[in-house]
Amino acid sequence: MRLGWLVSPALHLAALGATLIVWTQAPPELKPQTNSVPIDIVDISEVSNVSPIAADAEPVESLAPESVQGAPQELAEAIPAPSFKPAPEKKPDTPKKTREGLNLDDLAQLLDRSKPAGAREPPATTGPKAKPGERPRLGVGAGDGLTATEQDAIRAQMRGCWRMPIDMVTPEKLIVKVRVTFQANGAIVGQPEVVSPSNFRTADPPTRAAAEAALRAVRLCNPLHVDPNRRAGGDMTLNFDPREMIAP
Amino acid sequence: MRFLTILFAACAALVAAVSPARAAIEIDITRGHLNPMPVAAPDFIAAPGADPRVGQQISALVRANLERSGLFRALDQAAYIEKVVDINVQPRFADWRIINAQALIVGQTTQLPDGRVRIEFRLWDVTAEQEVFGLQYATTPENWRRIAHKISDAIYERLTGEKGYFDTRVVFVAESGPKTRRVKRLAIMDQDGANPSYLTSGDYMVLTPRFSPTAQQITYMSYESGSPRVFLFNIETGRQEVLGQFPGMTFAPRFSPDGSAVLLTLEQGGNSDIYRMDLRSRQRTRLTDNPGIDTSPSGSPDGTRIVFNSDRGGSPQLYVMNADGSDQKRISFGDGRYSTPVWSPRGDLIAFTKQTGGRFQIGVMRPDGTGERILSESYLDEGPTWSPNGRVVMFFREPRPGAGPSLFSVDLTGQNLRPVPTPTQASDPAWSPLLP
């Protein structure tokens, strides 16, 4: 018993002392300093969702707008007029040239020098193009999204097509979201759809006019300026938001 | 069971997380343009037996109205590819897209057995390839201008979302004669200058006519009784009366937004203050009481506030107060002298005359005084009046000394300045509300 009284403190002291023992660490081995590693800064959009670059990229012809127009919608019957006859067959001859070379885009360019390429123009070659000597490479991702470059191109394209409602009384309330489905060549499939405000056809006149102006912009900018070498189309929502342009 | 539900939800979340982000792309379109919309409006078709000139005149006036608004551009008829021969046939949209038309207006006139003419039109959205709406009217042939204005208003409202202003009139001061024996008569005409006629004889001077916002009634200042007095004039009956018996001079009248009262300035003992005169009870209420000159009151469309002009701070500036005269605050702080403020019928802006650097400007600012913009400037630009939709300001201009005044209109962008034709020199325009 007495021995136990002696052994116990001794063991406790030994255990305590053991905690004070430190193994000497070897100094970290210093590596010789090297120069910084050269890196390439790559547009993330190319990695996230791209179409492969083709070695022989050819400009894609724009689709004629009529090829993607949907059937006329239900006609408003404000006049109790006879039903429509089918439109006369269009003559196959080429349309005659308008007088004075009427081209709204040219005029708009004069009115607004910041206006970029808009409708009725071939899609911009917005994506990366194959340069001489560059090898084709595989794209990464599904290819149905839009690169940042393509999004910028569509924004620039819409500047020439969208008549902003900033001269209305409360333009900050006239924000319109339009959903479109597009093909790989940028042509819009079917009719663009106003997703917000969803009830625009029965809304107050300014809201309805703003929504129709957004729809008009999308139709005027058809086909969309996407990378001509895209592999797939996709869906997107365009938020027409005039708040940035409202004078302070 | 509960475990299975949780497992299923977790799987669904995992699948959603790894699925390609289809339909998730959102692009913010924050910049556009303000260019006018190109519109095609071929001459209205004349049905067999109808006078083709009526349809041609109507479509020409619709094109002119839309063009003058600055929001539309009427395409040259010579550029049209399709010749519309029947308004009940769907147009060939491709032909109109080629010339960049975004809207197409087709119409037809038909002679009715009772001597009247039926005028019908359809508005087509060329980009959507669908009819927007259509209307028809029956009227006597000589009434074609009113119908053309009504068609213009309907199209304008449908495409812009705001009421039109074409079927309106303007009352103004018609000026003639030499400076020493100037004759100033009240005159009235359509907003585009058509159908001018005189309302007063010219035996006495008239100034500052103002239209009632709710009726075919005018208030103005006249020297008919020797000293300046505010008068009321009913356009439909021709009846004219002095507004109240005031002890001093009364001037700068303007109807309240609901047309039930007239705001005016009364000068007594060298001090000018603003009063409100109820048109039914003829009771007057004093709204300002200040040793400075308080004048040119104009009410906000909701009737809660009044903007006016006062020199109480040393130079003429704009002030806003509540409709009962309380809470008077200065809102103009720019260089120059501000006068003739007019509250927009939309309520969002106040138009004014500004004198600075020896020249006169027409400008607009928000009711709190921010966002001042100058719309026009010349040797003398003065007396703004709003179109009933608050999109256009009409005023009078004397481009150089001795040139004589004439009327001009300018839209809110300041880019669409246009002369308004008048038979004589003209000043002090006042725009009517939309005609019934």
Side-chain angles (χ1 to χ4, degrees):
Chain A
M1 188 64 187
R2 213 171 158 183
L3 183 64
W5 280 103
L6 291 173
V7 171
S8 176
L11 287 175
H12 276 86
L13 283 172
L16 191 64
T19 62
L20 300 175
I21 297 172
V22 177
W23 297 105
T24 312
Q25 280 188 329
E29 195 175 326
L30 295 177
K31 294 179 181 173
Q33 194 171 2
T34 59
N35 292 330
S36 58
V37 179
I39 57 168
D40 292 328
I41 297 176
V42 181
D43 186 346
I44 193 168
S45 60
E46 292 187 355
V47 178
S48 61
N49 202 327
V50 299
S51 298
I53 292 180
D56 52 350
E58 291 289 335
V60 175
E61 285 187 20
S62 65
L63 288 185
E66 53 265 35
S67 66
V68 293
Q69 297 285 354
Q73 296 182 1
E74 190 179 342
L75 297 169
E77 283 298 329
I79 299 179
S83 58
F84 291 110
K85 303 168 194 169
E89 203 63 32
K90 190 187 168 189
K91 292 177 185 170
D93 57 341
T94 53
K96 59 186 174 187
K97 193 93 173 170
T98 61
R99 213 179 74 168
E100 72 186 24
L102 196 60
N103 187 324
L104 270 190
D105 293 314
D106 292 345
L107 179 65
Q109 293 277 15
L110 290 174
L111 291 174
D112 178 4
R113 293 183 191 282
S114 63
K115 173 187 172 295
R120 314 278 187 251
E121 292 169 9
T125 51
T126 55
K129 263 189 169 179
K131 294 173 186 158
E134 188 174 356
R135 288 185 304 168
R137 59 183 166 82
L138 281 177
V140 181
D144 60 351
L146 287 170
T147 64
T149 316
E150 286 177 310
Q151 294 185 30
D152 285 344
I154 290 171
R155 275 190 205 97
Q157 185 187 11
M158 287 292 164
R159 286 180 67 174
C161 300
W162 179 42
R163 209 275 180 195
M164 298 178 292
I166 58 172
D167 45 2
M168 303 293 281
V169 182
T170 52
E172 68 278 3
K173 295 180 180 172
L174 302 176
I175 299 166
V176 180
K177 290 177 184 286
V178 178
R179 184 160 54 213
V180 296
T181 302
F182 60 95
Q183 296 173 347
N185 60 8
I188 293 171
V189 181
Q191 291 292 326
E193 177 195 3
V194 175
V195 292
S196 174
S198 57
N199 60 343
F200 77 96
R201 290 189 196 283
T202 55
D204 56 276
T207 302
R208 185 175 60 181
E212 288 175 346
L215 285 173
R216 198 176 300 120
V218 173
R219 292 181 180 119
L220 287 171
C221 272
N222 183 20
L224 298 168
H225 288 182
V226 295
D227 182 347
N229 301 307
R230 291 182 61 82
R231 288 182 307 181
D235 297 335
M236 70 171 145
T237 301
L238 297 165
N239 300 332
F240 291 90
D241 186 345
R243 284 176 293 183
E244 265 185 33
M245 296 302 292
I246 300 170
Chain B
M1 187 61 191
R2 193 171 181 180
F3 172 74
L4 285 175
T5 306
I6 294 170
L7 186 65
F8 178 77
C11 290
L14 188 64
V15 169
V18 299
S19 294
R22 194 173 170 85
I25 304 165
E26 292 210 6
I27 302 178
D28 290 332
I29 310 297
T30 57
R31 298 176 79 88
H33 65 83
L34 286 173
N35 298 332
M37 176 195 284
V39 175
D43 285 343
F44 284 13
I45 304 157
D51 183 350
R53 287 174 300 178
V54 175
Q56 290 166 3
Q57 288 169 324
I58 289 174
S59 55
L61 188 49
V62 170
R63 286 193 296 269
N65 279 340
L66 296 177
E67 177 96 29
R68 208 171 58 254
S69 74
L71 298 178
F72 301 94
R73 190 164 68 86
L75 296 173
D76 189 341
Q77 287 205 79
Y80 300 171
I81 298 166
E82 180 185 13
K83 180 174 171 54
V84 177
V85 294
D86 186 345
I87 70 161
N88 296 320
V89 173
Q90 184 169 285
R92 292 198 305 264
F93 294 108
D95 285 358
W96 298 101
R97 275 200 301 273
I98 285 172
I99 62 169
N100 288 338
Q102 293 178 19
L104 169 65
I105 303 155
V106 295
Q108 178 171 289
T109 59
T110 307
Q111 186 67 49
L112 298 175
D114 61 3
R116 294 184 304 157
V117 179
R118 186 175 70 225
I119 300 150
E120 53 193 313
F121 76 95
R122 293 183 190 276
L123 173 65
W124 293 91
D125 184 335
V126 175
T127 62
E129 297 193 349
Q130 66 187 45
E131 186 191 10
V132 181
F133 79 117
L135 292 173
Q136 68 177 20
Y137 307 86
T139 185
T140 53
E142 57 270 20
N143 207 19
W144 65 269
R145 290 192 70 90
R146 281 290 308 275
I147 299 303
H149 288 320
K150 286 189 174 298
I151 291 172
S152 306
D153 281 330
I155 292 167
Y156 181 101
E157 180 174 358
R158 188 61 184 77
L159 293 178
T160 67
E162 291 190 325
K163 289 275 185 193
Y165 60 90
F166 302 112
D167 191 25
T168 57
R169 293 192 285 184
V170 173
V171 65
F172 61 98
V173 175
E175 300 190 20
S176 58
K179 284 268 182 193
T180 51
R181 287 193 301 120
R182 197 70 166 164
V183 177
K184 294 191 174 188
R185 307 168 69 183
L186 272 188
I188 193 167
M189 63 183 183
D190 294 352
Q191 51 81 25
D192 57 356
N195 299 322
S197 62
Y198 292 110
L199 297 175
T200 57
S201 64
D203 295 338
Y204 45 87
M205 184 181 284
V206 292
L207 292 170
T208 63
R210 306 288 182 238
F211 241 109
S212 164
T214 56
Q216 291 300 303
Q217 197 172 27
I218 299 167
T219 181
Y220 62 97
M221 190 188 86
S222 171
Y223 284 82
E224 185 176 1
S225 56
S227 64
R229 289 278 181 195
V230 169
F231 282 69
L232 286 177
F233 187 99
N234 188 309
I235 296 173
E236 285 164 350
T237 63
R239 187 164 176 269
Q240 183 174 308
E241 60 176 315
V242 178
L243 183 63
Q245 292 300 324
F246 290 92
M249 290 191 300
T250 53
F251 52 96
R254 194 179 293 276
F255 284 97
S256 64
D258 63 358
S260 67
V262 169
L263 302 167
L264 50 80
T265 305
L266 170 62
E267 192 269 344
Q268 268 184 299
N271 184 28
S272 299
D273 279 308
I274 294 169
Y275 287 73
R276 182 181 193 276
M277 162 75 85
D278 189 279
L279 290 178
R280 261 186 236 111
S281 66
R282 299 293 165 123
Q283 291 287 317
R284 67 172 190 256
T285 309
R286 185 171 190 160
L287 300 179
T288 65
D289 187 1
N290 190 283
I293 297 173
D294 296 339
T295 186
S296 304
S298 173
S300 65
D302 63 3
T304 60
R305 286 181 293 169
I306 294 168
V307 62
F308 63 101
N309 170 232
S310 175
D311 67 352
R312 63 183 67 178
S315 68
Q317 298 291 336
L318 305 187
Y319 291 76
V320 167
M321 62 183 173
N322 289 334
D324 62 359
S326 63
D327 196 20
Q328 299 179 9
K329 286 179 195 163
R330 178 173 166 178
I331 60 166
S332 65
F333 294 95
D335 296 333
R337 302 152 67 90
Y338 294 78
S339 58
T340 67
V342 194
W343 213 302
S344 160
R346 296 202 311 195
D348 58 336
L349 293 170
I350 290 168
F352 55 82
T353 303
K354 182 177 179 180
Q355 186 184 4
T356 181
R359 292 172 71 79
F360 284 76
Q361 301 168 330
I362 300 295
V364 293
M365 65 171 67
R366 296 196 188 98
D368 63 1
T370 62
E372 178 178 321
R373 283 188 291 128
I374 299 302
L375 304 180
S376 76
E377 178 184 307
S378 82
Y379 169 70
L380 177 62
D381 280 1
E382 198 175 353
T385 179
W386 287 98
S387 64
N389 68 352
R391 276 267 192 182
V392 183
V393 173
M394 194 180 290
F395 58 97
F396 71 95
R397 163 174 288 185
E398 193 168 335
R400 59 188 179 280
S406 56
L407 303 188
F408 281 79
S409 68
V410 65
D411 69 357
L412 281 182
T413 67
Q415 302 295 312
N416 188 29
L417 179 72
R418 290 171 188 263
V420 180
T422 49
T424 64
Q425 292 183 350
S427 62
D428 267 344
W431 216 315
S432 83
L434 276 172
L435 295 172

